[in-house]
């Protein structure tokens, strides 16, 4: 094998993906700079209690606030399955710690802070540094960032994009006037408000507890499920919205109508890479980022440009960990990639499989059903063990429990045996020197 020199790598974002990418890259011998436009590590898990003064987002003078979290948010995955493979998310004692199996968002941020401290990642992060442009010049990446309004141009060998995909809202296109509301507390809604929610959401009950009426319009509502939601006095399911009007009238496709004070879009987010200047080597088309070999490398720019954390409906932390190991190994020459043509052929074959199964383009990165197969493929490439059996089973048991006990799955479960197996595994991990378990 030819020796490849360590690379000078720019990582964009210091959320879970950027942190694990930085750790794995440095571990492999690369020199790393992490650009983070915020002033903390943790990305999504950095909670901001404020909302914009203008919920319609029209006033150009408004202070823009972004946070995808709301106050009462708890994880939807159990901590054992959710954590990084090499740094288990175990409960810790301490004034600000939340030992629950499905902890509140603050505990996830604490965990990511612990991870940062444990591996000394803070020294790699440049806070307040927003990447504005990434372009290829003479075989090297020119990265333009701004800090305190001052532009800075630097040259890197490789760029790893970890900018997350829960920032750019995907707004449902409804003819008529649209109201958008950012939610932090259910109590943000007055008890008189009638709310139309564009898509069902697990935590809608927070709002239903204080709003007068909640009307849920969703693609998945069928004739058989329309009407009042069983067990709730003030929640109704509707077909999709046909139009919305300035006086608050919302007309559904079945012809029924209500009058709403607020329309809340629970329609998710879009992939967005405003800083990427790579002609058409990577594009976003109907929320498909591509072409990407195995969700990570654009064949024409591999291995010097890569993406971590694009897949959704997955357990993100361990998946990002494996993607990062793969990227780090490929950049150092320890792991090889197929040729560009072979990678492109693989991507095209993947798209044909999606087409043949009737899976729309915007589901390209929904790899939920095959996530563990995907993780195991990455693990084999990197020469590390496949996903733990308990983790796979725990994921599937949690999904089942969420369906059976939608209101209480975070506090009642039947997979204690898997929890015990996880902890047995963590103890082995600890004997191999994992500082997270020695406290
Ligand atoms: C409401 C909600 C609940 C969730 N619940 C769970 C859960 O229970 N369990 C779970 O495992 N996952 C959950 N997730 C998924 C969560 O997104 C992932 O766990 C993970 O945090 C994603 O990390 P990331 O690093 O990919 O992205 P992010 O956390 O979004 O981090 C991206 C970082 O990049 C920075 N950045 C972006 N653009 C630039 C730029 N141009 N220059 C510099 N910096 C930039 C951002 O400031 C940010 O810090 C949830 C997500 C949401 C939105």
């Amino acid at each position: 094998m030819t020796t490849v020199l360590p690379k000078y790598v720019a990582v964009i974002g210091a959320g879970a993906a950027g942190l694990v990418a930085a750790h794995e890259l440095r571990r492999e011998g690369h020199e790393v700079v992490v650009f983070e436009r915020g002033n903390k590590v943790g990305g999504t898990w950095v909670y901001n209690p404020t909302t914009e003064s203008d919920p319609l987002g029209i006033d150009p003078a408004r202070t823009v606030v972004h946070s995808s979290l709301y106050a009462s948010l708890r994880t939807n995955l159990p901590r054992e399955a959710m954590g990084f493979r090499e740094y288990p998310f175990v409960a810790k004692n301490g004034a600000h710690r939340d030992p629950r199996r499905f902890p509140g968002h603050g505990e996830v941020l604490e965990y990511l802070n612990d991870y940062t401290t444990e591996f000394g990642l803070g020294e790699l992060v440049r806070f307040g540094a927003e990447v504005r442009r990434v372009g290829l010049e003479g075989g090297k990446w020119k990265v333009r960032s701004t800090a305190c309004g001052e532009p800075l141009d630097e040259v890197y060998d490789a760029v790893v994009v970890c900018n997350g995909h829960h920032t750019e809202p995907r707004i449902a296109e409804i003819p008529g006037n649209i109201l958008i509301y950012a939610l932090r507390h259910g109590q943000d809604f007055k008890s008189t408000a009638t709310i139309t929610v564009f898509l069902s959401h697990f935590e809608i009950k927070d709002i239903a507890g204080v709003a007068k009426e909640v009307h849920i319009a969703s693609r998945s509502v069928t004739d058989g499920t329309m009407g009042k939601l069983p067990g709730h006095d003030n929640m109704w399911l509707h077909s999709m919205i046909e139009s919305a009007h300035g006086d608050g009238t919302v007309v559904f496709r079945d012809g029924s109508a209500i009058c709403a004070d607020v329309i809340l879009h629970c329609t998710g987010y879009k992939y967005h890479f405003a800083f990427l200047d790579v002609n058409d080597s990577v594009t976003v088309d109907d929320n498909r980022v591509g072409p990407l070999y195995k969700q990570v490398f654009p064949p024409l720019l591999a291995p010097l440009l890569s993406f971590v954390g694009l897949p959704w409906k997955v357990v993100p932390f361990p998946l990002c960990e494996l993607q990062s190991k793969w990227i780090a190994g490929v950049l150092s020459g320890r792991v090889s990639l197929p040729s560009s043509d072979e990678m492109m052929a693989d991507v095209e074959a993947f798209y044909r499989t999606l087409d043949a199964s009737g899976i729309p383009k915007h589901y390209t990165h929904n790899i939920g059903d095959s996530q563990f197969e995907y993780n195991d493929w990455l693990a084999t490439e990197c020469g590390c063990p496949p996903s733990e059996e308990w983790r796979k089973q725990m994921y599937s048991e949690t999904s089942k429990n969420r369906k059976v006990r939608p209101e209480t799955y975070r506090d009642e479960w039947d997979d204690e045996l898997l929890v015990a197996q996880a902890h047995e595994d963590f103890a082995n991990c600890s004997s191999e020197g994992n500082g997270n378990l020695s406290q």
Side-chain angles (χ1 to χ4, degrees):
M1 190 189 290
T2 49
T3 311
V4 180
L5 293 174
K7 300 281 186 296
Y8 187 40
V9 188
V11 171
I12 304 174
L19 290 172
V20 73
H23 176 48
E24 295 297 340
L25 286 161
R26 188 171 59 177
R27 182 188 245 181
E28 191 86 27
H30 303 294
E31 197 182 331
V32 185
V33 173
V34 182
F35 291 83
E36 171 50 56
R37 66 182 170 196
N39 56 8
K40 289 181 180 145
V41 301
T44 296
W45 300 99
V46 177
Y47 176 65
N48 184 344
T50 57
T51 52
E52 292 186 12
S53 52
D54 167 24
L56 301 183
I58 292 168
D59 178 5
R62 76 192 191 281
T63 315
V64 175
V65 178
H66 176 76
S67 174
S68 329
L69 301 180
Y70 45 88
S72 65
L73 183 125
R74 288 172 67 184
T75 64
N76 54 17
L77 292 169
R79 63 193 311 148
E80 304 86 16
M82 182 173 158
F84 294 118
R85 289 161 41 129
E86 294 183 11
Y87 192 73
F89 188 9
V90 290
K92 290 196 172 177
N93 294 325
H96 302 291
R97 304 311 295 238
D98 176 352
R100 292 176 295 179
R101 216 183 148 208
F102 292 77
H105 56 79
E107 174 70 7
V108 184
L109 185 61
E110 295 277 356
Y111 166 69
L112 290 174
N113 281 327
D114 288 346
Y115 182 81
T116 305
T117 307
E118 174 76 21
F119 298 111
L121 302 174
E123 65 191 32
L124 305 180
V125 185
R126 265 192 224 162
F127 291 104
E130 174 158 12
V131 172
R132 294 294 182 91
R133 183 182 172 271
V134 170
L136 205 50
E137 286 179 25
K140 297 271 183 192
W141 290 102
K142 192 154 172 200
V143 175
R144 166 163 288 199
S145 61
T146 48
C148 307
E150 290 298 313
L152 176 68
D153 287 318
E154 290 166 293
V155 175
Y156 288 84
D157 299 316
V159 172
V160 182
V161 179
C162 304
N163 68 330
H165 46 92
H166 292 116
T167 306
E168 196 68 19
R170 200 169 142 226
I171 303 294
E173 285 172 22
I174 308 170
N177 279 349
I178 295 173
L179 304 174
I180 304 163
Y181 214 93
L183 169 75
R184 294 285 178 273
H185 298 266
Q187 290 86 336
D188 286 350
F189 293 101
K190 294 196 186 81
S191 59
T192 52
T194 297
I195 296 162
T196 298
V197 176
F198 195 69
L199 195 81
S200 161
H201 194 282
F202 284 121
E203 278 77 15
I204 280 309
K205 64 181 190 313
D206 272 18
I207 307 170
V210 288
K212 188 174 148 213
E213 294 177 7
V214 178
H215 295 267
I216 301 170
S218 163
R219 207 174 268 137
S220 55
V221 174
T222 55
D223 286 353
T225 55
M226 248 183 269
K228 202 172 220 179
L229 208 61
H232 297 273
D233 286 340
N234 64 345
M235 272 207 269
W236 285 263
L237 292 180
H238 296 269
S239 57
M240 299 277 275
I241 295 177
E242 181 67 36
S243 60
H245 304 271
D247 63 354
T249 305
V250 175
V251 181
F252 299 99
R253 286 197 184 158
D254 65 356
S256 63
I258 55 140
C259 192
D261 298 307
V262 172
I263 298 181
L264 183 66
H265 289 244
C266 300
T267 36
Y269 298 89
K270 292 189 285 200
Y271 295 100
H272 192 63
F273 309 98
F275 49 80
L276 264 192
D277 188 359
V278 290
N279 297 320
D280 284 337
S281 300
V282 190
T283 59
V284 183
D285 176 14
D286 190 17
N287 232 20
R288 168 184 284 174
V289 187
L292 289 183
Y293 177 61
K294 306 291 183 199
Q295 310 269 345
V296 171
F297 289 111
L300 291 178
L301 301 169
L304 301 181
L305 181 68
S306 55
F307 294 77
V308 178
L310 298 191
W312 54 276
K313 258 206 175 157
V314 297
V315 185
F317 290 16
L319 182 142
C320 291
E321 192 176 20
L322 284 164
Q323 288 183 326
S324 300
K325 277 183 194 298
W326 187 38
I327 294 166
V330 168
L331 285 176
S332 69
R334 187 174 56 79
V335 179
S336 15
L337 282 180
S339 69
S340 296
D341 286 349
E342 285 165 326
M343 287 191 273
M344 196 62 95
D346 184 275
V347 179
E348 281 161 6
F350 172 55
Y351 290 168
R352 278 196 300 276
T353 316
L354 296 181
D355 287 346
S357 316
I359 296 172
K361 232 182 222 178
H362 57 262
Y363 271 49
T364 301
H365 307 292
N366 171 1
I367 63 160
D369 292 342
S370 55
Q371 63 173 308
F372 291 112
E373 208 181 299
Y374 174 75
N375 284 359
D376 289 351
W377 183 89
L378 289 171
T380 307
E381 288 298 296
C382 303
C384 55
S387 299
E388 311 88 330
E389 207 44 49
W390 61 260
R391 198 187 296 262
K392 297 179 189 172
Q393 286 181 29
M394 195 180 276
Y395 180 78
S396 111
E397 288 306 311
T398 302
S399 306
K400 282 188 218 155
N401 198 28
R402 197 182 292 132
K403 286 200 180 89
V404 178
R405 300 176 173 126
E407 311 275 325
T408 58
Y409 75 92
R410 291 184 173 95
D411 298 301
E412 286 180 82
W413 52 76
D414 303 313
D415 59 349
E416 277 304 343
L417 196 62
L418 297 173
V419 178
Q421 285 171 13
H423 280 276
E424 215 171 287
D425 231 17
F426 296 164
N428 292 336
C429 188
S430 164
S431 61
E432 284 160 22
N434 186 326
N436 194 32
L437 296 155
S438 54
Q439 296 154 44

